[in-house]
Amino acid sequence: MSSAAFPDDRSYTDDHEWVLIAPGAALPDEPVRVGITSVAVNSLGELVFVDLPEVGATIVAGEACGEVESTKTVSELYPPVSGRVTLINSAAVDDPGLVTSDPYGEGWLFAVQPSDAGELLTAAEYAEKNGANA
């Protein structure tokens, strides 16, 4: 897997989620998108169901806030940041295959107004932890 598999314009978690905050950047004043990585997608296989937090819900970095279900297993979602959910990707809810086909683009899961961040990794750090070339 090349580093191109992990866009470097965002940060990652050990739990295989990404947040659209550049590594080392301050928390933005605007909502940021959250999704799962290609490593998670490849591990899960074909997604059949996505359960996301409700708009307006307060979520806490590292605490489960939803699930993705595949033909193999169910996996909880652990948000990379704390804050208030401002939007969910209804297209991904209606068609979980969108997450599989484009995890860093149209397959994003929800947007959150961040108030705090958990431990975030750069693309290179995430790639190294997952046995990919940085």
Side-chain angles (χ1 to χ4, degrees), residues 89-103:
N89 185 355
S90 57
V93 173
D94 293 343
D95 179 11
L98 193 58
V99 179
T100 305
S101 65
D102 191 10

Side-chain angles (χ1 to χ4, degrees), residues 67-115:
E67 296 177 336
V68 290
E69 181 177 343
S70 72
T71 55
K72 295 179 181 177
T73 188
V74 176
S75 182
E76 293 186 319
L77 296 172
Y78 298 99
V81 295
S82 299
R84 186 176 56 81
V85 175
T86 60
L87 185 66
I88 63 167
N89 185 355
S90 57
V93 173
D94 293 343
D95 179 11
L98 193 58
V99 179
T100 305
S101 65
D102 191 10
Y104 300 111
E106 295 301 313
W108 62 278
L109 297 175
F110 57 89
V112 59
Q113 177 62 55
S115 60

Side-chain angles (χ1 to χ4, degrees), residues 49-60:
F49 183 73
V50 175
D51 180 33
L52 301 176
E54 293 184 20
V55 172
T58 299
I59 58 175
V60 177

Side-chain angles (χ1 to χ4, degrees), residues 19-76:
V19 59
L20 202 46
I21 298 175
L27 294 177
D29 293 332
E30 299 178 359
V32 292
R33 290 182 177 183
V34 172
I36 61 173
T37 69
S38 56
V39 171
V41 166
N42 291 336
S43 174
L44 291 167
E46 181 183 352
L47 295 183
V48 295
F49 183 73
V50 175
D51 180 33
L52 301 176
E54 293 184 20
V55 172
T58 299
I59 58 175
V60 177
E63 293 186 10
C65 69
E67 296 177 336
V68 290
E69 181 177 343
S70 72
T71 55
K72 295 179 181 177
T73 188
V74 176
S75 182
E76 293 186 319

Side-chain angles (χ1 to χ4, degrees), residues 1-7 39 122-134:
M1 182 177 298
S2 73
S3 61
F6 308 116
V39 171
T122 66
E125 291 167 336
Y126 181 78
E128 184 177 332
K129 286 188 172 208
N130 289 284
N133 295 328

